[in-house]
Amino acid sequence: MTIYMKDTGFLQMASGIYADYWVPGLSTALHGAMHFLYSVGDAEQLNKATICRTIRSVCLAIKALADVFISFPGHRRLCDMKEEFYRIAGFPNVIGAVDCTHIRIKAPSGAHEADFVNRKSFHSINVQMVCNADCVISNVVAKWPGSVHDSRIFRASEIYQCLSQGEFSGVLLGDRGYGCQPFLLTPFTDPQEAQQAYNHAHARTRARVEMTFGLLKARFHCLHKLRVNPVRACDITVACAVLHNVACLRKERAPRVPPAMDWDNPAIFPDDDSGRLLRDQYVLNYFS
């Protein structure tokens, strides 16, 4: 398939259904707002059903590129990625920052509707992402309803299995909602003196994933609310993540990012003993 996007100028070849016309404003088109579909249909003399099918086909084709543009820990050398994270606040050996973000959706029909109601009492999918220091997404998991806790999503993910088996040299940074692990360092709940320096560096470094969420949703306003079913919402989210990475690689101008919602997720899994030990060693070796 050949995908043309006027708003990014990006051209990518992929296998799939062939579309031989321009899709204007794809970043807006993905969400399928009725007024936009009618406008495109009128301008291009296409009916709404054709526009819907085209958007769906393009979305799936972009999603199919995820393995090309979204790769953990990334396409660069591991030492270079660690160095970029270290420059932020002096936190060593970091290969990614992990967190989840909620994508609001319309209330789905069926017996599992309540599963999609999150802690803020609206329907959503809960999407896990890992990013590097440049806010490029290196891992995305978009398949869980909004009621599922961040740490449960992480424990069920492929990246958790890889890290727990020691496949990568380095650590992720996560917030207090995650249990501290040897490969996932979290902040201290009640920090003392040296621990405060650790927490400060941790917060500044981990903020990259919050910045990534902000940039992603600022680039693709549809992600503030998707009026589609959960399966399609997951597909659109991954497609937007791919396009976000393309924009980062092309060094496109970053959009203005509004303040993010604070979820303050309480932990549901305890800290691992070896994770706490490693965290204490970080404090002793780098922040004392």
Side-chain angles (χ1 to χ4, degrees):
M1 178 176 183
T2 304
I3 306 167
Y4 300 96
M5 283 165 281
K6 277 185 177 178
D7 51 352
T8 64
F10 169 64
L11 172 64
Q12 176 66 43
M13 302 298 296
S15 60
I17 302 169
Y18 182 75
D20 59 354
Y21 43 83
W22 294 86
V23 181
L26 181 61
S27 62
T28 306
L30 284 173
H31 77 305
M34 295 301 293
H35 68 277
F36 182 82
L37 295 180
Y38 286 129
S39 297
V40 171
D42 292 341
E44 302 294 334
Q45 297 183 340
L46 299 169
N47 61 43
K48 191 183 99 175
T50 300
I51 295 294
C52 286
R53 287 194 299 270
T54 301
I55 291 171
R56 177 66 175 159
S57 298
V58 172
C59 177
L60 291 177
I62 296 171
K63 179 189 174 187
L65 299 171
D67 289 341
V68 177
F69 288 101
I70 303 175
S71 175
F72 184 82
H75 296 291
R76 304 179 61 185
R77 294 188 307 169
L78 210 58
C79 60
D80 291 337
M81 289 187 288
K82 291 179 181 180
E83 177 62 26
E84 288 173 354
F85 271 117
Y86 184 80
R87 289 196 196 107
I88 298 171
F91 205 109
N93 207 34
V94 178
I95 58 175
V98 62
D99 202 356
C100 287
T101 186
H102 285 264
I103 306 298
R104 186 189 292 260
I105 61 172
K106 71 175 184 179
S109 58
H112 300 289
E113 175 269 335
D115 293 342
F116 292 88
V117 179
N118 59 42
R119 293 176 58 245
K120 300 290 185 180
S121 300
F122 63 83
H123 295 85
S124 69
I125 55 172
N126 196 8
V127 181
Q128 175 182 287
M129 293 188 188
V130 180
C131 74
N132 67 15
D134 294 324
C135 295
V136 174
I137 298 166
S138 57
N139 177 262
V140 58
V141 179
K143 63 180 181 180
W144 294 93
S147 64
V148 181
H149 194 278
D150 296 3
S151 60
R152 194 174 297 279
I153 294 173
F154 180 65
R155 283 177 174 255
S157 67
E158 182 179 352
I159 195 171
Y160 177 91
Q161 302 303 322
C162 293
L163 289 166
S164 62
Q165 293 169 12
E167 291 188 22
F168 301 104
S169 171
V171 297
L172 297 181
L173 299 186
D175 62 21
R176 292 184 179 89
Y178 297 95
C180 190
Q181 302 276 340
F183 48 83
L184 173 61
L185 296 181
T186 60
F188 289 92
T189 303
D190 186 19
Q192 304 304 312
E193 294 179 4
Q195 295 171 351
Q196 289 176 359
Y198 165 96
N199 271 18
H200 179 70
H202 184 286
R204 287 185 57 197
T205 309
R206 194 195 67 82
R208 280 299 193 271
V209 71
E210 303 292 349
M211 292 172 58
T212 301
F213 293 152
L215 287 169
L216 180 68
K217 292 181 179 181
R219 280 195 167 107
F220 304 100
H221 290 269
C222 60
L223 295 181
H224 291 286
K225 184 170 184 180
L226 290 169
R227 296 171 177 84
V228 294
N229 65 48
V231 172
R232 293 199 174 194
C234 294
D235 293 338
I236 291 170
T237 301
V238 175
C240 289
V242 170
L243 294 178
H244 165 83
N245 278 5
V246 172
C248 290
L249 294 170
R250 288 170 51 87
K251 300 188 183 304
E252 294 192 359
R253 185 174 61 184
R256 187 175 182 179
V257 178
M261 180 185 293
D262 185 10
W263 284 82
D264 191 26
N265 248 348
I268 62 171
F269 293 107
D271 291 339
D272 183 84
D273 288 341
S274 55
R276 284 200 300 264
L277 178 61
L278 179 63
R279 186 170 61 184
D280 290 341
Q281 290 175 345
Y282 266 64
V283 173
L284 181 63
N285 295 334
Y286 305 111
F287 299 102
S288 295

